[in-house]
Each structure stands twice: as structure tokens, then as C-alpha cells.
Amino acid sequence: SQQGEEDPQALSIQEGENATMNCSYKTSINNLQWYRQNSGRGLVHLILIRSNEREKHSGRLRVTLDTSKKSSSLLITASRAADTASYFCATDRYNNDMRFGAGTRLTVKP
Amino acid sequence: GAVVSQHPSWVICKSGTSVKIECRSLDFQATTMFWYRQFPKQSLMLMATSNEGSKATYEQGVEKDKFLINHASLTLSTLTVTSAHPEDSSFYICSAGTVLYSNQPQHFGDGTRLSIL
């Protein structure tokens, strides 16, 4: 069964703008992960944030986690056309038992 | 980084055929492998969790006799779709992890697109 929900479902922005995607989940978690999927391909891991962490950065990516609200956000700064993809959050409850959200389809227009 | 190889990447076959998909972890020992199914523009749905040397654990609603999973070694898991029908057409993705290291991401294969005619 699904664990999380992302919003928005689809996001279209211009190159150079920032993109923010949100994820909500329902149960307690060990960690939360964000993945990227290009059309018809497998998933690429972006960032893992542990349940005791509140914010994490990796290059142009910034992830926040609010366990009290059971929510997370992914911010991509200075977006590029190559960032066009679907982005999924996944919650890891235990022993790598991961559940994926519905995903946000991001389109970055050049 | 860790690499997971999934093969084949694309299969087209006739209804009634059984199809085997392989998932290999190339540079680490995967104690656990996961099989997901993804419909167009939708999320990944976990089908089953495969632990090396033991029977797979299937998610509710997934037919274990339809989707046979074997995890005979720490580097290979296979998913066999038996007597496939058009409704089985989908994108199947495997991932590999190890319970030896908590708080580590899973590593995904590139997926297999299965089309049943």
C-alpha cells in the first residue's frame, strides 16, 4: 500500500527557478528518501534524511523533515532543463521496508 | 556507487508465455531484494520482498503463484511472471539492499518493460 503523498502532482517551471515538492506520510519512519526517475528508467537516489534530522543539503538539493507533521519537502534551486523528471519520496519504516509516494512530475522549460 | 543490473530491459511476448526477469547486485551482497510494479504515470507499488535463502514475502493482493520470486544467492533474484496476460503488462523494477546497514538507500535496477500481446 502507498505510504506517502506528494504535492503537487505536476509542476512546470522555467529554467533558473526553484522547484519545491512536498511529501506527507502516515506512519512513524526510520528515514525518508527522495528519488528521481527519468521517463522509462529506474530510480536514482537523491537524498536520505534520518528521522532525527531536520534538514539536509546536497548540491542544489535541500530536504527538510518535520516528523511532528509527518511531512518532508524537496527544494531544487536554480533548476535546469535536465532536472525534468519524476520525483518520489519513500519512507523506510524498518529493514528497508520502503513505501513510495505518488510522485511529482517536474518539467523545467529551457 | 552500488550497481544493480536488471535484465531484460524490454520484453514483448504472446499471451500465455512465462517471462523471467533477473536482478543482480554487481558489487555488493544483497540480503534483501524488492520487486516493484509501476503503471504509467503512477508510483511504485511494492509486490514482494525477497530474502536470500528464504521464501519471498508478498504484499496483499499479489498472487504468489502468478509472480514467482527466487533469491537463490546474495547477488541474484528472479521474478517470473507465469502465463502472462495483457493485464500483466507493466514496468517492473527491482531494488537491492542489505539489512546489515541501516539508514542506507536501496539501489535500483533500470527496470523491465513487459508488454504482453
Side-chain angles (χ1 to χ4, degrees):
Chain A
S1 62
Q2 291 298 101
Q3 161 75 308
E5 295 181 1
E6 280 103 330
D7 78 270
Q9 291 185 340
L11 179 61
S12 182
I13 59 175
Q14 292 295 133
E15 207 166 28
E17 293 180 340
N18 295 341
T20 300
M21 291 160 265
N22 302 297
C23 167
S24 61
Y25 58 93
K26 299 175 183 175
T27 65
S28 60
I29 60 172
N30 188 34
N31 63 64
L32 185 144
Q33 303 176 33
W34 283 90
Y35 288 84
R36 165 196 169 122
Q37 184 182 35
N38 285 9
S39 180
R41 301 297 301 274
L43 274 68
V44 174
H45 177 256
L46 297 176
I47 285 187
L48 180 152
I49 185 165
R50 302 182 185 188
S51 59
N52 62 352
E53 296 177 313
R54 292 296 167 258
E55 188 171 312
K56 207 161 184 180
H57 298 254
S58 176
R60 294 184 295 113
L61 306 180
R62 172 178 170 256
V63 167
T64 63
L65 178 64
D66 187 335
T67 53
S68 66
K69 296 181 179 178
K70 291 187 168 58
S71 67
S72 174
S73 69
L74 169 66
L75 168 67
I76 303 175
T77 60
S79 63
R80 305 166 182 168
D83 294 329
T84 294
S86 290
Y87 292 82
F88 296 93
C89 70
T91 51
D92 182 350
R93 297 183 296 173
Y94 55 90
N95 287 346
N96 281 329
D97 179 0
M98 292 175 56
R99 308 288 161 151
F100 284 81
T104 294
R105 292 190 302 280
L106 174 66
T107 302
V108 181
K109 301 174 184 177
Chain B
V3 177
V4 173
S5 173
Q6 190 172 337
H7 177 81
S9 57
W10 198 303
V11 179
I12 301 175
C13 58
K14 294 181 179 179
S15 185
T17 306
S18 292
V19 179
K20 179 184 283 189
I21 303 170
E22 291 188 349
C23 181
R24 293 180 184 273
S25 59
L26 298 183
D27 55 358
F28 72 104
Q29 294 184 327
T31 52
T32 308
M33 288 188 174
F34 304 86
W35 289 95
Y36 297 87
R37 182 173 183 174
Q38 185 180 33
F39 290 106
K41 296 186 179 180
Q42 294 190 24
S43 187
L44 280 73
M45 299 297 296
L46 180 65
M47 298 174 66
T49 302
S50 166
N51 292 300
E52 186 266 339
S54 62
K55 291 184 178 180
T57 302
Y58 289 81
E59 294 298 304
Q60 192 173 7
V62 178
E63 300 176 57
K64 58 182 66 177
D65 294 332
K66 174 76 172 176
F67 299 99
L68 301 179
I69 291 173
N70 182 279
H71 191 164
S73 76
L74 285 171
T75 59
L76 174 64
S77 176
T78 61
L79 166 67
T80 301
V81 183
T82 62
S83 187
H85 288 95
E87 59 267 27
D88 298 323
S89 298
S90 190
F91 192 57
Y92 293 88
I93 306 176
C94 71
S95 71
T98 174
V99 296
L100 294 178
Y101 303 100
S102 64
N103 285 315
Q104 294 294 319
Q106 290 183 23
H107 304 284
F108 285 82
D110 272 346
T112 296
R113 186 161 303 283
L114 177 60
S115 297
I116 308 298
L117 305 178

